[in-house]
Amino acid sequence: MVYRRWEGMFKNGINLILTLYFFLSLSLQHLNLISMSVSSSAVDFRTGTKVAIKKLHRPFQSELFAKRAYRELRLLKHMKHENVIGLVYVFTADLSLDRFHDFYLVMPFMGTDLGKLMKLQNLSEDKVQFLVYQMLKGLKDLKPGNLAVNQECELKILDFGLARQADSEMTGYVVTRWYRAPEVILSWMHYTQTVDIWSVGCIMVEMLSGKPLFKGNDHLDQLTEIMKITGTPTQDFITKLQSQDAKNYVKSLPKVQKKDLQELFSKVNPQAVTVIECMLLLDPESRVMAAEALTLPYFSEFREPEEETEAQPYDHSVDNSDLSLEQWKRHTFTEILSFQPQVVESRETAL
């Protein structure tokens, strides 16, 4: 009877035996309570590899949280890039939709994040090159805590811009601001991919210098710190601003000349400074795009163009819907049932 209930639950595509086996094959190592989830590391005995398990904290306590949980699950399912965290497995202990309250995301285990790594050690030139190269390959909304790194210096992006929707509710908000593009800070204009290029530039400077470049105390102070380096906007840039209030504010700022970055970072590899110069431009339309940045001489040692794949288009139609809490739950439950895990043989078995 119990078997039949499980069989009915997974009739939409998840193999029952594999699911039960996966539950039994995880050896939990430790738990860590963080703001939005409970995370643990585990060993998948099918492959012998270490994984991270994330249980979202009360994902259905409100429509906002339910939407965020659904979106995180969808994005993890969608991602198929070696430099972006994807989903190894997803499961729930709840047997039906009316009992559905929690679910668990299983992802690759990385060990640490770039923010912690930078505090522990000064990164060598070749590590900076390799890490920034990987960031550009798998570009998303970036700050050091969103970049997971393992012992082989392999990097994966593990944040999907969720903090853009509700900054005031997220922990680490003050730190996040230091890596935000100026157009995001004051919502000046529509965002393009170059908001993330700005973040890469900020992180790259921090890796090379050992400290954040723009350490503002609030929104306006952040903008002031940025313009000490970039200079105040030109009239051409001001005309692109969508808000008249933003235009008036920028016009009222004291005029500051742009700093010469080659002079400012005179002890840094000039090729690295050239990359930073292309990224930290006030006008987002002038910043280098990821594909173009990858071709710069600074990354030539690590470049493998055939591996620089572009992500498949992501369907945002449901994400952008205005749905009830119960509808978000139903969509999330369906996504869990439809997940098809890729069973990868261990290296020992394959040999």
Side-chain angles (χ1 to χ4, degrees):
M1 186 67 180
V2 173
Y3 173 83
R4 290 297 178 190
R5 292 177 65 187
W6 277 93
E7 185 180 44
M9 175 183 171
F10 289 94
K11 65 182 179 181
N12 291 327
I14 294 182
N15 184 283
L16 170 64
I17 302 300
L18 179 60
T19 301
L20 293 175
Y21 177 60
F22 191 85
F23 288 171
L24 296 173
S25 68
L26 294 173
S27 174
L28 298 184
Q29 303 295 314
H30 65 273
L31 290 176
N32 177 35
L33 182 64
I34 56 179
S35 59
M36 297 298 293
S37 64
V38 176
S39 298
S40 63
S41 63
V43 174
D44 180 356
F45 289 133
R46 298 174 305 162
T47 62
T49 57
K50 202 170 186 179
V51 294
I53 303 177
K54 177 180 178 180
K55 176 185 178 182
L56 298 186
H57 179 58
R58 298 176 63 198
F60 305 115
Q61 62 181 295
S62 68
E63 289 181 9
L64 175 64
F65 278 66
K67 180 176 182 177
R68 186 179 295 159
Y70 169 80
R71 183 167 181 256
E72 181 169 3
L73 173 58
R74 280 281 319 283
L75 282 164
L76 283 169
K77 286 180 67 175
H78 173 78
M79 291 301 169
K80 301 289 188 298
H81 191 288
E82 66 175 335
N83 296 118
V84 180
I85 287 288
L87 197 61
V88 174
Y89 207 79
V90 57
F91 61 89
T92 178
D94 302 320
L95 302 182
S96 60
L97 180 60
D98 60 334
R99 298 183 183 182
F100 181 44
H101 298 293
D102 297 302
F103 64 97
Y104 300 80
L105 303 168
V106 183
M107 296 167 285
F109 180 85
M110 297 299 288
T112 189
D113 65 59
L114 185 57
K116 294 175 183 176
L117 186 63
M118 286 190 291
K119 291 177 181 178
L120 292 173
Q121 61 179 268
N122 294 322
L123 297 176
S124 62
E125 177 83 8
D126 59 338
K127 283 186 178 180
V128 173
Q129 287 174 298
F130 187 40
L131 289 168
V132 177
Y133 173 69
Q134 291 177 88
M135 288 181 213
L136 292 170
K137 277 175 53 182
L139 198 53
K140 290 288 166 185
D141 188 33
L142 300 180
K143 58 180 180 289
N146 294 344
L147 302 169
V149 185
N150 66 15
Q151 292 181 334
E152 283 73 46
C153 207
E154 294 171 337
L155 176 144
K156 289 183 186 288
I157 296 166
L158 43 72
D159 181 88
F160 302 97
L162 299 177
R164 282 183 184 167
Q165 297 182 10
D167 277 327
S168 61
E169 297 180 20
M170 305 293 286
T171 60
Y173 171 50
V174 175
V175 175
T176 303
R177 187 191 305 120
W178 297 345
Y179 309 94
R180 287 285 168 93
E183 67 270 22
V184 179
I185 295 171
L186 292 181
S187 302
W188 280 350
M189 56 187 69
H190 292 302
Y191 309 149
T192 66
Q193 188 200 59
T194 60
V195 300
D196 303 314
I197 291 293
W198 177 278
S199 299
V200 175
C202 293
I203 294 168
M204 184 175 175
V205 171
E206 188 169 342
M207 285 193 289
L208 291 166
S209 68
K211 60 183 180 181
L213 181 60
F214 305 120
K215 199 172 178 180
N217 298 316
D218 55 44
H219 282 71
L220 297 182
D221 187 48
Q222 183 70 22
L223 196 61
T224 299
E225 291 298 307
I226 288 171
M227 290 184 184
K228 286 178 182 178
I229 303 295
T230 65
T232 43
T234 63
Q235 184 57 45
D236 287 343
F237 177 71
I238 293 173
T239 60
K240 298 176 184 179
L241 301 180
Q242 297 173 337
S243 164
Q244 187 59 48
D245 289 340
K247 290 181 180 181
N248 294 339
Y249 173 73
V250 173
K251 286 179 181 179
S252 71
L253 294 173
K255 301 301 178 186
V256 179
Q257 292 298 314
K258 182 179 179 181
K259 290 279 177 63
D260 183 339
L261 296 188
Q262 292 287 351
E263 182 179 323
L264 188 64
F265 303 116
S266 58
K267 297 181 180 180
V268 174
N269 181 338
Q271 288 188 347
V273 180
T274 298
V275 175
I276 296 166
E277 286 176 326
C278 295
M279 293 179 172
L280 296 184
L281 294 172
L282 202 60
D283 187 344
E285 294 179 1
S286 301
R287 287 178 215 141
V288 68
M289 299 290 285
E292 185 183 355
L294 287 166
T295 67
L296 295 172
Y298 187 66
F299 304 111
S300 59
E301 180 181 349
F302 298 101
R303 257 205 104 191
E304 297 181 20
E306 66 277 5
E307 293 186 2
E308 294 168 11
T309 57
E310 293 187 9
Q312 294 298 310
Y314 175 73
D315 181 6
H316 289 274
S317 56
V318 178
D319 296 22
N320 296 327
S321 302
D322 185 16
L323 303 178
S324 68
L325 177 58
E326 288 304 313
Q327 287 173 312
W328 285 122
K329 281 184 67 174
R330 181 179 295 276
H331 279 301
T332 303
F333 198 62
T334 300
E335 289 292 335
I336 293 172
L337 298 185
S338 65
F339 179 70
Q340 296 285 348
Q342 295 181 350
V343 182
V344 181
E345 293 182 337
S346 69
R347 184 169 298 177
E348 291 78 13
T349 303
L351 292 173

